[in-house]
Amino acid sequence: MERFYIFVAMANQDDQFKKVISHAKEYGYVFQSSEIYDGLSAVYDYAQNGVELKKNIRDYWWKAMVQMHDNIVGIDASIFMHPTTWKASGHVDAFSDPLIDNKDSKKRYRADVLVEDYCLKIEAKIDKEVKKAAKRFGDAFNKDEFIATNPRVLGYQEKIDGILSRLGKSLEAEDLVDVKALIEELEIACPLSGSRNWTDVKQFNLMFGTKLGASAETAMDLYLRPETAQGIFVNFLNVQKTGRMKIPFGIAQTGKAFRNEIVARQFIFRMREFEQMEMQFFIKPGTQKEWFDKWKETRMKWHLSLGMGEDNYRFHDHEKLAHYADAATDIEFKFPFGFKELEGIHSRTDFDLKQHEEFSGKKLQYFDHEENKSYTPYVLETSIGLDRMFLAVFSNALMEEELENNTTRTVLKLPAVLAPVKAAVFPLVKKDGLPEVAKEIIEDLKWDFNVFYDEKDAVGKRYRRQDANGTPFCITVDHQTLEDKTVTIRHRDTMDQRRVAISELKDIIKKEVDVKEWLMKM
Ligand code: ATP
């Protein structure tokens, strides 16, 4: 649980983001939930390709975190938990965002986002100045120098920095009166009604409530879990005892979490129902600094193993910490709308276990045989959103490429290990026994890989479809195949084609899509 306020100015990359969203729909990756009823805001469904990509990301994480660590085990806790869990964890009292209503339009906003949007407008003015200057100076234009010296740009930037710094301070201090004062001073109007008739700023709890039980009188108020971590904390001793785990050890889990986000308009970046992949690592008190550094390094290596560009990641260490943490950092990724949090790594001390001990009245301690004493372990947490990781992978992979013959192709250069379909098999023509051979190849390969058969349209068109779908290999069966049992195999990224024996196909594909080959790069 963390609500940090980081304001990263967004460049105007709307177009690229729109392309990502429409490509995800057109190629069967992500659909708006219940679209025929006009959808539900910030709720999405994964389609036939999306579900495979998502599963492959989850498996890639699980293998690296659980299978490859003999001291980390997994669990699958329920979404429903006893309501006291959320009192103990602090979510009932503190898991909220600042909201404000416009009295005329009756529309609700996140107060901090209104201010952030205001800053984006100033940012757009900077962009305009830069574009104007670039036109004026032509080839001699030095953008960095211009931004660092132009008085008008500097003035705009100073204004943005001043506003965001004040907002950050007020939110950290929970000074909601000042947040409203800032909105009024900046004369921010409701985008819908245009009026500045605002209510006070209030905190809004992000947990979804529901009821358990058959009759209204006896029903118990429950919450849908807003994070998976608490399922791990409450099972800590069960797992430690039954698994005879010795500290340091970890418990990992993937699963749905729910947050009633006030502003949720960044596609699958911020959803109301989403999936987390979390791991709590239980350690001896006093060793947290060492483990924090170790997990920072391990998690970054995991990201880099996918080859999505070192420059696209950065750490953002938190200066101001949540009440339960003694160190925290985010791994940020360069999404189409700028650098944003992808994963959090938190040193959570013994806060959660101690809270659950207090609220449940049960001891949640570890007996250390070497030291011959009991203690409450400290916890190091790594927490990544599966959907955010999906968006990182998908948006990074989508590109338009200029080809030599002055045409362009749309290609989804997904890391081959994550691609939903590993190979597509085509008969060159729909006759002369070629479809039969292609289907035989499919029958053989499908034991090891997800494969796809396509005989419609010219081969060039079929290649383009698979490029846009992210399929790393295309295999074409032609008349020569009938004579010498060879096929052509085409690589998505290089578009190189090679003639190989059918019997070699499995090894060629495996070498490029095997999880081991990729994780070994860590
Ligand atoms: P943010 O500041 O972006 O709201 P957070 O700091 O509240 O995120 P955590 O509570 O640390 O997030 O959750 C861990 C991870 O879960 C995040 O790094 C992110 O990848 C993912 N996550 C959190 N909220 C959402 C959401 N609404 N939709 C999709 N993924 C989310």
Side-chain angles (χ1 to χ4, degrees), residues 453-471:
Y453 175 80
D454 191 6
E455 59 177 26
K456 204 168 166 286
D457 300 319
V459 167
K461 234 178 173 175
R462 282 181 259 169
Y463 283 155
R464 289 287 173 276
R465 267 205 296 272
Q466 293 307 319
D467 286 347
N469 209 41
T471 308

Side-chain angles (χ1 to χ4, degrees), residues 108-270:
R108 176 159 285 185
Y109 298 92
R110 237 174 88 174
D112 53 318
V113 172
L114 278 181
V115 177
E116 193 182 6
D117 283 350
Y118 179 89
C119 291
L120 283 181
K121 283 188 192 141
I122 310 178
E123 180 81 21
K125 286 185 189 164
I126 296 180
D127 276 354
K128 223 168 154 184
E129 293 291 334
V130 170
K131 274 194 193 124
K132 251 176 27 196
K135 219 169 166 184
R136 193 160 9 109
F137 295 115
D139 287 345
F141 182 59
N142 180 332
K143 186 175 165 190
D144 291 341
E145 197 186 315
F146 179 77
I147 289 176
T149 53
N150 180 273
R152 207 173 285 164
V153 169
L154 288 175
Y156 286 142
Q157 195 55 52
E158 200 179 316
K159 190 163 181 201
I160 294 176
D161 294 345
I163 294 170
L164 293 184
S165 142
R166 176 167 160 198
L167 177 67
K169 278 192 194 129
S170 308
L171 287 170
E172 298 290 2
E174 292 196 29
D175 184 354
L176 300 182
V177 173
D178 190 58
V179 177
K180 179 168 182 196
L182 183 60
I183 290 174
E184 283 174 338
E185 280 167 38
L186 296 174
E187 301 189 341
I188 296 176
C190 165
L192 219 65
S193 64
S195 95
R196 294 189 210 128
N197 195 6
W198 297 109
T199 62
D200 287 341
V201 179
K202 282 176 288 200
Q203 289 291 5
F204 171 75
N205 195 294
L206 299 181
M207 286 197 291
F208 282 104
T210 185
K211 291 203 181 287
L212 180 126
S215 73
E217 302 83 59
T218 58
M220 188 187 213
D221 285 319
L222 289 191
Y223 295 105
L224 299 185
R225 66 179 178 196
E227 66 175 23
T228 55
Q230 299 305 323
I232 291 178
F233 289 124
V234 299
N235 279 300
F236 154 72
L237 213 51
N238 281 341
V239 173
Q240 190 272 317
K241 290 220 157 109
T242 56
R244 294 151 38 103
M245 309 298 289
K246 278 209 182 88
I247 274 180
F249 75 91
I251 306 178
Q253 157 161 247
T254 71
K256 285 275 171 102
F258 303 82
R259 296 181 187 180
N260 197 0
E261 301 278 3
I262 304 167
V263 175
R265 45 158 201 208
Q266 281 167 321
F267 192 40
I268 56 173
F269 180 83
R270 190 175 298 287

Side-chain angles (χ1 to χ4, degrees), residues 278-305:
E278 296 198 301
M279 194 277 301
Q280 324 309 129
F281 201 68
F282 298 91
I283 55 176
K284 209 152 111 181
T287 61
Q288 64 269 32
K289 170 84 180 79
E290 176 194 324
W291 283 109
F292 181 66
D293 293 342
K294 188 161 183 330
W295 278 111
K296 261 177 86 169
E297 190 193 326
T298 308
R299 290 305 303 146
M300 186 57 103
K301 277 191 184 159
W302 180 84
H303 285 284
L304 296 179
S305 73

Side-chain angles (χ1 to χ4, degrees), residues 1-4 95 110 227 259 261 268-272 274-276 278 330 341-344 346 381 383-388:
M1 172 193 55
E2 270 205 282
R3 312 302 294 173
F4 273 103
F95 193 52
R110 237 174 88 174
E227 66 175 23
R259 296 181 187 180
E261 301 278 3
I268 56 173
F269 180 83
R270 190 175 298 287
M271 301 156 91
R272 296 204 161 101
F274 59 101
E275 196 165 332
Q276 290 186 312
E278 296 198 301
D330 294 335
E341 173 180 342
L342 171 59
E343 170 159 5
H346 312 122
E381 163 184 86
S383 174
I384 172 168
L386 177 48
D387 314 86
R388 268 191 206 179

Side-chain angles (χ1 to χ4, degrees), residues 7 17 69 133 145 154 166 196 221 234 250 313 356 432 449:
F7 301 100
F17 193 34
H69 285 102
E145 197 186 315
L154 288 175
R166 176 167 160 198
R196 294 189 210 128
D221 285 319
V234 299
Y313 299 88
H356 287 303
D432 305 334
F449 317 108

